[in-house]
């Protein structure tokens, strides 16, 4: 790619045309049966022709290839681009947050709260923040899918204190007292009885399963000739 200098409209057109020649014109002329080695050879020949284009820089005549050879390129970055992965998770009743097949602890008092797990590519730490971007936990990222539970010592102590504080030395609850039905319950029961009595006779039919079983037993056997001749 030939990077265009700023505010140079004509130079931009020249660079776009060069890129068009490399990406479009050569590609349209490639035969279908060309091998990879032959295609690479064609690209190399096109590059040599394009490198021989002449340029005038500060009054001196040079070529595109010479200019490219004199350019100083930056070193390849050691770390990846600092992109940040952000996912939403719900805190479990045990004050844990799931991420990449592992569990990370958060301070107690957040069960059911939706938090965000942040991870920047190339870094080894995970950040857990609230909806308002307040940081509640930071952990070392465990390998993906290992099923590890990463807990902070401060979170463990705070969770133990919260659990122990919920215990009480009060006397146990008394046995349940059976109370008679209230007037509202009796009125509702009477209404249901009246509704069932007012229903149609077809709805009050009761099917005797014993009678049904006796008829089914009779149908299992083949009737005799006398039974077939009887008027019944």
């Amino acid at each position: 790619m030939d990077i265009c200098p700023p505010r140079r409209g004509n130079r931009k057109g020249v660079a776009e045309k060069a890129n068009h020649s490399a990406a479009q014109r050569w590609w349209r002329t490639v035969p279908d049966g060309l091998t990879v080695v032959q295609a690479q050879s064609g690209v190399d020949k096109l590059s040599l022709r394009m490198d021989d284009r002449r340029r005038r820089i500060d009054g001196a005549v040079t070529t595109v290839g010479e200019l490219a050879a004199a350019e100083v390129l930056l070193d390849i970055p050691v770390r990846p681009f600092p992109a940040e992965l952000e996912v939403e998770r719900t805190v479990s009743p045990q004050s844990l947050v799931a991420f990449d097949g592992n569990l990370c602890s958060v301070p107690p008092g957040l069960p059911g709260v939706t938090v965000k797990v942040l991870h920047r590519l190339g870094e080894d730490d995970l950040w857990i923040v609230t909806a308002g971007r307040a940081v509640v936990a930071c952990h070392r990222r465990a390998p993906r899918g290992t099923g590890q539970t990463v807990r902070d010592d401060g979170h463990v102590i705070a969770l133990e204190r919260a659990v122990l504080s919920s215990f009480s030395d009060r006397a146990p609850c008394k046995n349940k007292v059976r109370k008679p039905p209230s007037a509202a319950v009796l009125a509702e029961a009477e209404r249901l009885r009246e509704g069932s009595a007012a229903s149609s006779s077809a709805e009050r039919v009761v099917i005797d399963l014993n009678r049904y079983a006796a008829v089914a037993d009779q149908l299992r056997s083949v009737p005799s000739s006398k039974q077939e001749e009887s008027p019944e």
Side-chain angles (χ1 to χ4, degrees):
M1 288 291 287
D2 193 352
I3 305 301
C4 305
R7 294 179 292 278
R8 297 292 190 277
N10 294 335
R11 186 73 188 91
K12 180 177 181 297
V14 174
E16 288 179 351
K17 199 60 179 177
N19 297 332
H20 178 267
S21 299
Q24 296 293 331
R25 291 183 177 178
W26 175 85
W27 182 260
R28 286 198 296 266
T29 60
V30 176
D32 295 336
L34 203 65
T35 64
V36 176
V37 177
Q38 294 172 342
Q40 183 63 49
S41 176
V43 173
D44 294 340
K45 293 178 181 179
L46 177 64
S47 300
L48 291 176
R49 292 198 304 268
M50 297 182 70
D51 288 343
D52 290 337
R53 292 174 296 169
R54 294 184 175 277
R55 294 289 183 267
R56 184 179 294 275
I57 306 297
D58 297 332
V61 179
T62 182
T63 61
V64 174
E66 293 174 353
L67 290 174
E71 291 179 352
V72 180
L73 301 179
L74 299 177
D75 296 334
I76 299 177
V78 179
R79 306 183 66 180
F81 183 80
E84 192 173 72
L85 175 64
E86 177 179 317
V87 294
E88 289 188 354
R89 293 292 185 268
T90 302
V91 182
S92 68
Q94 294 77 24
S95 298
L96 297 174
V97 176
F99 180 76
D100 272 355
N102 303 295
L103 297 175
C104 301
S105 65
V106 295
L110 298 174
V113 176
T114 301
V115 296
K116 295 182 180 180
V117 182
L118 307 180
H119 174 241
R120 178 166 292 184
L121 299 184
E123 294 187 358
D124 299 329
D125 295 331
L126 293 176
W127 299 85
I128 302 176
V129 301
T130 61
R133 309 294 291 189
V135 179
V136 295
C138 178
H139 297 284
R140 175 74 68 175
R141 184 187 180 190
R144 176 177 297 180
T146 54
Q148 299 185 27
T149 301
V150 183
R151 293 183 180 271
D152 185 86
D153 294 339
H155 299 165
V156 174
I157 295 174
L159 185 60
E160 290 179 352
R161 290 177 178 175
V163 172
L164 293 176
S165 63
S166 62
F167 288 99
S168 175
D169 56 354
R170 295 178 298 179
C173 298
K174 297 180 181 180
N175 295 333
K176 183 178 179 180
V177 179
R178 296 185 178 275
K179 298 181 180 180
S182 62
V185 173
L186 295 175
E188 181 66 17
E190 186 64 24
R191 187 186 67 82
L192 293 175
R193 282 193 293 267
E194 292 177 356
S196 61
S199 59
S200 62
S201 59
E203 296 178 356
R204 297 196 301 270
V205 173
V206 178
I207 300 175
D208 188 359
L209 297 181
N210 294 327
R211 178 60 179 167
Y212 176 81
V215 174
D217 291 338
Q218 293 177 0
L219 294 176
R220 289 195 185 96
S221 60
V222 178
S224 61
S225 58
K226 294 182 178 180
Q227 291 177 348
E228 292 179 350
E229 294 175 357
S230 62
E232 296 180 356

